[in-house]
Amino acid sequence: MKLIRFGEAGKEKPGVCVDGRYYDASGWVRDYDEDFFANGELATLQKKLNAGITALPELPAGTRLGCPVAKPSKIVCIGLNYADHAKETGAATPSEPIIFMKSTTAIVGPNDAIMIPKGSEKTDWEVELAVVIGKKASYVSKEAALDYVAGYALHNDVSERAFQLERNGTWDKGKGCDTFAPIGPWLATQDEIADVNNLRLWLSVNGKKMQDGTTANLIFDVPFLVSYISQFMTLLPGDIISTGTPAGVGLGFNPAIYLQPGDVVELGIDSLGTSTQKVVAYAAH
């Protein structure tokens, strides 16, 4: 099953994607939020879909998509989780996952614009596999970890490298700016994914391929990450774990390449669709 949320920013409604077509499911579901996952409504929705989609209105082409998860309590990100990315940035391969948080106010739809922050000169891209938690997880084992996963999504972990690396403190400063978390187009449930540890992910800027990797090269795989993070914090239904990015970020080039107004970023992951973001200059909003 593929879950979408559609409509005006801040007023999205729940929907589904079936055979490449989008349908309005707001008559069946209030929203894809913490309560939806916690109360087992995902299974209920699947049963209804199995009975047929004829009752659902089809959405017109060009309908705006939002993040497929409504108001997650947190976005937990993993740094340097591909050895080639660690190498390109001059960092050591971590012996344990590096955890940082990304502000939920950074969330936008998959095809919304990326806005360069005020004063930024080093805005960068990172294609990542996002894991969506399906039920409350605290001190879970690696063996049981996937039982706590609702599904997966495409995420561009947009980053401002000067804020992240040159302004002291944690990485969070460069990760949580407005528009820095385009997520979607959809949340794919686990049955949609043949092997989460063997998904191709890629990203292009202005038509030039910058990143081309596979989750087979994750240093710490999805079950390990869910278990590991749950040792330090409770993961709530709807929470998002972003699992890291392969080589090919702007910071890794010599000289470095950063996003400019007018640039177009395209990215995708096997079975999780594609997204496109135009880069725009800072504007008060």
Side-chain angles (χ1 to χ4, degrees):
M1 185 165 50
K2 296 185 178 77
L3 309 184
I4 63 166
R5 295 176 67 250
F6 67 93
E8 181 184 345
K11 298 180 180 179
E12 292 91 347
K13 296 180 180 180
V16 293
C17 176
V18 179
D19 297 328
R21 299 188 177 197
Y22 295 159
Y23 297 88
D24 181 350
S26 61
W28 288 355
V29 177
R30 185 178 59 82
D31 210 346
Y32 301 137
D33 55 11
E34 182 179 340
D35 287 342
F36 170 83
F37 295 107
N39 294 331
E41 294 181 52
L42 185 63
T44 301
L45 178 59
Q46 182 67 75
K47 290 178 182 178
K48 289 182 177 180
L49 282 178
N50 291 344
I53 59 169
T54 54
L56 298 182
E58 186 172 351
L59 299 175
T63 297
R64 175 190 174 272
L65 296 180
C67 173
V69 181
K71 298 181 178 179
S73 81
K74 51 189 170 291
I75 305 173
V76 185
C77 299
I78 308 300
L80 305 176
N81 200 21
Y82 289 78
D84 57 359
H85 174 55
K87 183 178 180 180
E88 73 174 344
T89 62
T93 301
S95 58
E96 291 189 46
I98 295 170
I99 294 176
F100 62 91
M101 309 296 282
K102 195 173 183 83
S103 173
T104 57
T105 53
I107 292 174
V108 290
N111 301 308
D112 291 345
I114 293 170
M115 184 174 67
I116 294 178
K118 189 174 183 178
S120 166
E121 296 181 354
K122 298 182 178 181
T123 297
D124 203 349
W125 58 84
E126 294 189 6
V127 60
E128 304 201 3
L129 170 70
V131 180
V132 180
I133 297 300
K135 60 182 180 179
K136 186 176 178 180
S138 179
Y139 297 106
V140 303
S141 68
K142 180 179 178 180
E143 291 71 25
L146 292 183
D147 295 339
Y148 293 82
V149 173
Y152 306 98
L154 171 65
H155 175 217
N156 187 358
D157 176 20
V158 186
S159 309
E160 211 296 335
R161 301 303 188 186
F163 297 177
Q164 176 190 355
L165 302 172
E166 301 171 22
R167 300 287 295 273
N168 295 327
T170 67
W171 289 2
D172 304 53
K173 291 178 185 176
K175 296 289 189 170
C177 304
D178 291 351
T179 75
F180 270 26
I183 300 173
W186 54 68
L187 182 163
T189 52
Q190 292 200 65
D191 57 292
E192 296 276 348
I193 309 298
D195 182 2
V196 72
N197 293 313
N198 190 25
L199 297 176
R200 178 175 174 249
L201 63 170
W202 58 270
L203 182 145
S204 298
V205 178
N206 299 328
K208 181 179 180 181
K209 187 68 63 65
M210 296 298 193
Q211 294 184 273
D212 194 353
T214 169
T215 58
N217 292 333
L218 283 167
I219 298 171
F220 305 106
D221 65 14
V222 170
F224 184 93
L225 290 174
V226 173
S227 173
Y228 183 87
I229 295 167
S230 79
Q231 311 304 309
F232 300 96
M233 66 190 79
T234 296
L235 294 167
L236 297 177
D239 280 356
I240 294 170
I241 299 171
S242 201
T243 58
T245 197
V249 301
L251 175 66
F253 287 87
N254 187 16
I257 303 170
Y258 295 115
L259 294 172
Q260 305 296 325
D263 287 346
V264 176
V265 181
E266 299 171 274
L267 57 152
I269 301 180
D270 290 347
S271 301
L272 296 178
T274 63
S275 64
T276 302
Q277 296 109 38
K278 184 176 180 180
V279 181
V280 298
Y282 172 79
H285 61 290

